[in-house]
Amino acid sequence: MTIDPLKDFPGYLLHRVSADAMTRLARRLAPLGLRPTEASVLLVIEANPNITQSEIGRMLDIAGANMAPLVARLADRELIEREPVDGRSHGLTLAPAGRELFVQLRNQFKEHEAEILDKLPASRRAAFTKMLRTLWYD
Amino acid sequence: MTIDPLKDFPGYLLHRVSADAMTRLARRLAPLGLRPTEASVLLVIEANPNITQSEIGRMLDIAGANMAPLVARLADRELIEREPVDGRSHGLTLAPAGRELFVQLRNQFKEHEAEILDKLPASRRAAFTKMLRTLWYD
DNA sequence: TATTGTTATACTCTATAACTATA
DNA sequence: TATAGTTATAGAGTATAACAATA
């Protein structure tokens, strides 16, 4: 039979588990007309009214060059509003349509995250998430 | 201060940890002239001489349409050899240059994987990998 | 000088459709 | 009919370089 030489590599497993979760999240969000990165930006704006797009970029590690068209799409769809805070920055807040969408968005994320942990015994889920946090925010 | 509403989401953490690891792996492999997917295919061929590219695709979940140019690049660089096994399939094996590269490749992967787990206490590393395996090969 | 926001561009990985040749 | 391999193409995410306007 064929041998999978990668199946014990945590890096490979992280990649496969993450890629699978991202694909499922994308499918969940498609009916809302959102891609995963757009949805995560909306969650950040909701939690931080008047945040600027450069601050979001630093938080989510999205380069400014990539934030620009992403935010422009959300503004074009009137999901967010931009208010000048000084001559070069704009504070971002959810527009009415964005607040409406946010409720569905939050539910989809909640179900998605539960689905990921679902395969682990309930007693190990918190430990798993904590280890991931250790790896990320070391 | 700004709030990160995603920091407790295992799906988001998986994505960030995985993306960071992939970026570091890509940097490690660049001096060898390989991208992560190319390197993983070489590891699979080394472990399974005469495997076909469709079998590799099923193992690594890479679509046939994407396997074709990937394998062609490796064959053009004479890292692998293709031997017909029937009228439509080719068995893939490492060519001499591929075997030479494989030694360095294996070392880079070993260091990479160790680096990922490095931030976890040694006593938790096996449990973490096992949980990832549970999530992947459920 | 440094930062914010922007445009243009390219790369990697992935996804779909259509096709040929073989089993 | 199903499978192996291929080509063309498009999408999403990311990366770099260059630039204007503002701090």
Side-chain angles (χ1 to χ4, degrees):
Chain A
M1 282 309 302
T2 55
I3 294 168
D4 183 346
L6 305 170
K7 72 176 207 305
D8 293 325
F9 289 0
Y12 178 71
L13 293 167
L14 276 167
H15 169 64
R16 295 300 301 270
V17 172
S18 167
D20 181 63
M22 287 293 287
T23 300
R24 289 204 317 278
L25 178 61
R27 273 200 255 278
R28 262 184 197 284
L29 298 176
L32 305 182
L34 293 170
R35 308 193 294 216
T37 46
E38 292 169 342
S40 63
V41 165
L42 288 179
L43 293 189
V44 171
I45 293 171
E46 194 276 340
N48 300 277
N50 276 299
I51 193 170
T52 67
Q53 76 183 55
S54 58
E55 291 173 316
I56 299 172
R58 279 188 291 273
M59 183 183 293
L60 301 184
D61 202 28
I62 301 174
N66 301 319
M67 281 299 299
L70 197 167
V71 167
R73 280 195 301 275
L74 298 176
D76 286 350
R77 294 173 57 190
E78 297 186 348
L79 298 175
I80 63 173
E81 282 163 2
R82 305 196 239 200
E83 287 284 326
V85 295
D86 65 19
R88 59 181 176 182
S89 306
H90 295 256
L92 307 180
T93 54
L94 293 189
R99 281 195 294 275
E100 211 171 309
L101 193 55
F102 172 77
V103 179
Q104 300 174 261
L105 203 51
R106 187 178 46 190
N107 290 337
Q108 288 300 321
F109 265 87
K110 194 169 184 173
E111 289 179 28
H112 171 67
E113 300 297 336
E115 190 179 70
I116 290 173
L117 294 181
D118 199 40
K119 292 180 189 165
L120 289 181
S123 61
R124 314 303 299 280
R125 291 173 196 164
F128 179 70
T129 302
K130 188 180 173 193
M131 286 192 267
L132 284 174
R133 250 195 314 268
T134 300
L135 292 182
W136 181 236
Y137 307 90
D138 85 305
Chain B
M1 284 311 300
T2 55
I3 294 168
D4 183 346
L6 305 171
K7 73 176 207 303
D8 293 325
F9 289 1
Y12 178 72
L13 293 167
L14 276 167
H15 170 63
R16 295 300 302 269
V17 172
S18 167
D20 181 63
M22 287 293 287
T23 300
R24 289 204 318 277
L25 179 61
R27 274 199 255 277
R28 261 182 197 285
L29 297 176
L32 304 182
L34 293 170
R35 307 193 294 216
T37 47
E38 293 168 343
S40 65
V41 165
L42 288 178
L43 293 189
V44 170
I45 293 171
E46 195 277 340
N48 300 277
N50 276 299
I51 193 170
T52 66
Q53 75 184 55
S54 57
E55 290 174 316
I56 299 171
R58 280 189 290 273
M59 184 183 291
L60 301 183
D61 202 29
I62 302 175
N66 301 320
M67 282 299 298
L70 197 166
V71 167
R73 280 195 302 275
L74 298 176
D76 286 351
R77 293 173 57 190
E78 297 187 347
L79 297 175
I80 63 173
E81 283 164 1
R82 305 196 239 199
E83 287 285 326
V85 295
D86 67 18
R88 59 183 177 183
S89 305
H90 295 256
L92 307 180
T93 54
L94 293 190
R99 281 195 293 275
E100 211 171 309
L101 193 56
F102 172 77
V103 179
Q104 300 173 262
L105 203 51
R106 187 178 45 191
N107 290 337
Q108 288 300 322
F109 265 87
K110 194 169 184 174
E111 288 178 27
H112 172 67
E113 300 296 335
E115 191 179 71
I116 290 173
L117 294 181
D118 200 40
K119 291 180 189 163
L120 290 180
S123 61
R124 313 304 299 280
R125 290 172 195 165
F128 179 70
T129 302
K130 188 180 172 192
M131 285 192 266
L132 284 174
R133 252 196 312 269
T134 300
L135 292 182
W136 181 235
Y137 306 91
D138 85 304

